[in-house]
Amino acid sequence: MKYLDEFRNPELARRLFDEIYAITTRPWAIMEVCGGQTHSIIRNGIDQLLPPQIELIHGPGCPVCVTPLELIDKALAIAARPEVIFCSFGDMLRVPGSGKDLFRVKSEGGDVRIVYSPLDAVRLAQANPTREVVFFGIGFETTAPANAMAVYQARQLGLRNFSMLVSHVLVPPAIAAIMESPDNRVQAFLAAGHVCSVMGTWEYEPLVARYHAPIVVTGFEPLDVLEGIRRTVLQLERGEARLDNAYARAVRPEGNVPAQRMLADVFEVTDRSWRGIGVIPQSGWRLSARYRDFDAEVRFAVQDIHTQESALCHSGEVLRGLLKPNQCPAFGKECTPRTPLGATMVSSEGACAAYYQYGRFVQLTGSEP
Amino acid sequence: MSNAPDFSHWACPVPLRSYPTIVMGHGGGGKLSAELVEHLFAPAFRSAALDALGDAAVLELPAGRLAYSTDSFVVRPLFFPGGNIGALAINGTVNDLAMMGAQPCYLTVGMILEEGLPVAELGAIVEAMAAAAQTAGVEIVAGDTKVVDKGHGDGVYINTSGIGVIPADVQIAPNQARPGDVVIVSGEIGLHGIAILSVREGLEFGAPVASDCAPLNGLVAAMLAASRAIHVLRDPTRGGLAATLNEIAKASHVGIEYEERRLPVPEAVAAACDMLGMDPVHIANEGKLAAIVASDAADMVLEAMRRHPLGAQAAIIGRVVEQHPGVVVARTAIGGSRVVDMQVGEQLPRIC
């Protein structure tokens, strides 16, 4: 992992901090879009070491957190069916639906399995021809190519017992929704590096122009995040708004073109409901007409879903950057990672879980750099 | 590395050959049970107490305080790089006794076998137990075997209990950490958990990772010979180093701070954790210990550890503080700090 150590070098980090201090003269509110960046910021303690004028607002880029409650309830209903093997990435299992989570369904006899790749679910379908294998296909543009590939392969293999419960979401419409909300405070964005490695950077040019907000494509290691912040502050201080790529080692302007072709074949753009935020037009993907047979929502017509969100949970305001997790009255009290009221307390990319896990509920001593 | 265990070296004793797999009768208390004991367990464990075939072992123990512990082992798969459930079951209880400063003496073994388990697999497991017991210098003095219907177990479950003797002037307990003490880990962390994960999920992380499964009583004896100012010993198994340090901080009402860059983390473990969104301090170990030692004895203890093969990469990683009692704080590589809490349940791989 030598190539990663280089991006965690304390000396270089110190130099970047010094530069950020030197150029910062006014308060700025910057949103890191991606949950992976939130995780890195909190895990490395970056937010504590920045100039006090710089506020990092944690964006809605945790796929687990924004998956709508109704879809999680559908997942719970499908997973409970005796003929189904329900496959999911690990951190979806503890996300609360209306009353229970996938771990509960598993303990009650549901065949729920953690997989590391959607292609593992395709292999399970091949190995279990008498069972229905359902994969919970969630995530942003980053996880979408592998999910698209799984559906594509299932079709090539003629698998009739494989389907996908899809809730893909897209970053650019979310940025637009945040900028257009009346209570918005965000002045610039760190765009999600891995999303851009798939989709390229061209989608962000119109957003920069329309909202006159700097957007800097940023990676995930400490030095990547610091460089993204430095370039963002530089633009803000100069009154500029440009699209900048601070993650050029992984992101090309055109993105991954073969992956985009696969996505365009398997998915089509649709309105999507974001948990805690509401419906954002044209903000997600569903399976395209060619692949509708593999849509688990079509195959298992789940009826009678009555969703019920916790009345105490403020995760919507957290996801829109209006509330810090530890400003929520339930934080650390009714709501902990052991008893999560909302999805933001579940995934390690969720802002509430990151705050809780890395101790934003205790006063630290000796935390000077 | 091939993950398939190899049983070709194991020759089945004659009377057991008529049944290549475990049948219900092997736990029934009749002739089949007796054959298993006579031809498999007794020859492997070679214990006078066991050979007496009484209802209980009769033991001589020196005067003084005893440490007494029990643990059950349900690992899947049964065989993994660096060990198997048998070695794990012996070393697990040996290490629990050693963490009280005790010299482990006697172990008992309870086995729950699933109908259909190949006798060759059981043989390999029992041989590994015998070898681990010999390495640790403990005697297996009593045992029991039951068989459950096929589908009602994962091949083998093993319980071991053990007794050890604590030297008179040793006072090691989780509540003995004092502000000013230093925190030492005995070597590279995260190996067992990643080894199990790699075979269970068929994941590969560049270099193959083998479990660190090993008996720690020899290392502890070497440490105690160097100094008696060892206040706490724990082996960071499930929950990893993070759980261990949190337990010590809570039991002793102290804070613990450590430097992330001082943690001995093997490259393959770091790579696996980066890929899966896990943290090495939450990953299980089976042959490592964390020691809380008075600061003026730390160098002596560290020297003694580094001279022992199981402590060659021992390192001082942090210290015990008065502030934030019950809370463990890590200093990050870039100079930030974060609280290191226990995991809620199993560590779950992240989506991206």
Side-chain angles (χ1 to χ4, degrees):
Chain A
M1 295 306 265
K2 295 272 181 293
Y3 70 96
L4 273 187
D5 285 343
E6 291 165 20
F7 297 95
R8 297 170 184 175
N9 181 312
E11 266 315 300
L12 297 177
R14 159 75 64 172
R15 256 184 257 165
L16 280 168
F17 275 118
D18 286 347
E19 282 185 52
I20 293 169
Y21 270 87
I23 58 176
T24 306
T25 64
R26 277 170 287 165
W28 300 112
I30 303 168
M31 175 174 277
E32 85 276 4
V33 169
C34 176
Q37 290 163 338
T38 305
H39 184 80
S40 177
I41 287 164
I42 307 289
R43 190 192 183 286
N44 291 292
I46 290 172
D47 54 336
Q48 305 162 337
L49 301 175
L50 286 173
Q53 299 101 310
I54 295 179
E55 181 190 0
L56 292 178
I57 296 179
H58 313 308
C62 159
V64 170
C65 304
V66 298
T67 299
L69 185 58
E70 190 192 356
L71 203 83
I72 289 169
D73 286 350
K74 276 188 187 164
L76 297 171
I78 293 171
R81 296 167 79 121
E83 75 276 23
V84 166
I85 300 175
F86 193 87
C87 303
S88 168
F89 291 128
D91 46 3
M92 280 310 286
L93 266 66
R94 222 167 37 222
V95 176
S98 303
K100 58 168 95 167
D101 59 20
L102 282 165
F103 273 124
R104 258 281 288 288
V105 172
K106 184 169 188 281
S107 75
E108 291 166 357
D111 192 347
V112 178
R113 304 191 192 180
I114 294 177
V115 294
Y116 293 82
S117 156
L119 299 177
D120 293 343
V122 174
R123 279 190 282 276
L124 267 177
Q126 281 179 288
N128 296 276
T130 61
R131 307 282 301 277
E132 280 286 340
V133 174
V134 182
F135 180 77
F136 203 173
I138 72 154
F140 283 86
E141 295 93 325
T142 330
T143 53
N147 291 353
M149 179 58 90
V151 178
Y152 176 81
Q153 281 197 1
R155 191 164 185 259
Q156 295 293 104
L157 293 165
L159 286 177
R160 304 209 157 274
N161 63 327
F162 176 85
S163 61
M164 194 175 282
L165 187 59
V166 180
S167 181
H168 270 296
V169 280
L170 305 171
V171 168
I175 288 181
I178 287 162
M179 289 311 285
E180 281 175 21
S181 84
D183 39 18
N184 171 56
R185 298 190 300 119
V186 177
Q187 294 165 294
F189 292 89
L190 306 181
H194 291 159
V195 167
C196 295
S197 70
V198 176
M199 299 305 291
T201 58
W202 52 273
E203 294 183 299
Y204 297 87
E205 296 277 11
L207 293 168
V208 169
R210 196 183 323 151
Y211 302 111
H212 197 75
I215 297 182
V216 178
V217 178
T218 302
F220 301 83
E221 293 302 321
L223 293 192
D224 290 322
V225 174
L226 286 172
E227 176 63 8
I229 292 170
R230 187 188 71 84
R231 293 195 194 192
T232 308
V233 173
L234 214 52
Q235 286 197 48
L236 288 168
E237 290 280 348
R238 289 175 180 163
E240 297 173 355
R242 284 181 292 108
L243 176 66
D244 191 7
N245 183 359
Y247 196 37
R249 74 176 189 277
V251 175
R252 285 166 297 165
E254 72 278 14
N256 181 341
V257 176
Q260 290 169 29
R261 251 184 245 128
M262 168 75 69
L263 291 167
D265 176 38
V266 174
F267 294 123
E268 64 188 24
V269 173
T270 181
D271 294 352
R272 215 20 116 195
S273 167
W274 296 50
R275 190 172 191 174
I277 295 176
V279 175
I280 303 178
Q282 305 288 290
S283 68
W285 277 323
R286 65 174 173 194
L287 290 171
S288 64
R290 273 160 63 81
Y291 294 88
R292 200 60 47 81
D293 289 349
F294 293 93
D295 191 334
E297 282 191 85
V298 175
R299 190 169 301 185
F300 306 91
V302 183
Q303 306 292 331
D304 292 330
I305 298 283
H306 301 287
T307 60
Q308 196 178 2
E309 283 281 12
S310 159
L312 295 171
C313 178
H314 289 260
S315 63
E317 286 145 84
V318 171
L319 286 169
R320 280 176 289 157
L322 303 178
L323 206 63
K324 291 271 184 239
N326 52 2
Q327 293 168 337
C328 170
F331 180 84
K333 299 185 184 82
E334 293 88 349
C335 185
T336 70
R338 213 180 109 47
T339 55
L341 296 179
T344 46
M345 189 53 106
V346 174
S347 168
S348 58
E349 292 181 20
C352 298
Y355 266 59
Y356 190 92
Q357 210 55 261
Y358 295 132
R360 292 308 190 266
F361 60 106
V362 291
Q363 198 60 45
L364 298 183
T365 61
S367 58
E368 283 78 36
Chain B
M1 177 190 298
S2 165
N3 290 333
D6 176 18
F7 304 107
S8 54
H9 70 287
W10 198 77
C12 193
V14 178
L16 298 181
R17 281 183 199 161
S18 53
Y19 285 104
T21 57
I22 293 296
V23 296
M24 293 305 289
H26 282 120
K31 278 195 177 157
L32 284 176
S33 298
E35 282 175 2
L36 212 52
V37 174
E38 196 180 331
H39 295 281
L40 182 58
F41 295 127
F45 296 153
R46 285 194 297 270
S47 151
L50 204 60
D51 287 343
L53 296 176
D55 278 340
V58 178
L59 310 169
E60 300 280 351
L61 281 168
R65 291 172 307 148
L66 299 177
Y68 180 24
S69 182
T70 187
D71 207 344
S72 298
F73 298 83
V74 295
V75 64
R76 186 172 56 85
L78 298 174
F79 295 82
F80 46 83
N84 64 46
I85 188 172
L88 204 60
I90 299 299
N91 290 332
T93 292
V94 164
N95 291 348
D96 284 349
L97 297 171
M99 293 309 111
M100 302 310 292
Q103 180 54 47
C105 304
Y106 301 114
L107 257 54
T108 66
V109 175
M111 288 193 149
I112 295 173
L113 310 179
E114 184 186 1
E115 185 184 21
L117 174 75
V119 171
E121 285 194 27
L122 179 62
I125 290 167
V126 169
E127 273 183 7
M129 297 179 82
Q134 197 180 6
T135 306
V138 294
E139 195 180 331
I140 295 167
V141 293
D144 175 59
T145 307
K146 296 286 188 294
V147 178
V148 295
D149 290 322
K150 190 161 182 63
H152 289 246
D154 283 323
V156 190
Y157 298 141
I158 304 177
N159 170 275
T160 53
S161 296
I163 293 178
V165 178
I166 303 174
D169 52 348
V170 168
Q171 282 297 344
I172 294 173
N175 63 1
Q176 295 296 307
R178 298 287 171 265
D181 289 353
V182 302
V183 183
I184 304 176
V185 293
S186 65
E188 294 185 321
I189 61 167
L191 291 165
H192 179 73
I194 295 299
I196 294 286
L197 195 68
S198 64
V199 282
R200 188 182 292 174
E201 311 295 349
L203 301 174
E204 306 222 346
F205 305 111
V209 179
S211 168
D212 56 348
C213 181
L216 292 167
N217 53 327
L219 177 63
V220 171
M223 294 165 69
L224 284 170
S227 168
R228 291 292 156 106
I230 297 167
H231 296 161
V232 187
L233 291 173
R234 294 305 291 265
D235 57 334
T237 55
R238 278 175 310 171
L241 189 62
T244 294
L245 296 181
N246 270 283
E247 284 161 11
I248 295 170
K250 285 181 180 71
S252 297
H253 305 291
V254 293
I256 293 180
E257 298 184 350
Y258 71 84
E259 303 268 342
E260 276 191 341
R261 65 188 171 82
R262 290 176 183 254
L263 282 180
V265 180
E267 270 188 34
V269 170
C273 286
D274 270 326
M275 211 182 297
L276 297 171
M278 296 176 165
D279 193 326
V281 295
H282 289 129
I283 309 282
N285 309 274
E286 288 293 344
K288 296 296 175 322
L289 61 80
I292 309 285
V293 180
S295 67
D296 52 2
D299 288 340
M300 251 185 322
V301 172
L302 191 66
E303 279 291 297
M305 291 175 81
R306 285 181 173 166
R307 278 196 298 271
H308 192 279
L310 291 178
Q313 297 183 72
I316 293 177
I317 61 160
R319 63 200 169 95
V320 177
V321 297
E322 238 174 285
Q323 297 90 337
H324 52 80
V327 176
V328 178
V329 176
R331 185 63 49 94
T332 69
I334 62 155
S337 63
R338 65 183 175 104
V339 168
V340 179
D341 202 0
M342 290 191 202
Q343 290 292 116
V344 174
E346 276 186 272
Q347 188 155 234
L348 301 173
R350 275 212 326 260
I351 282 186
C352 58

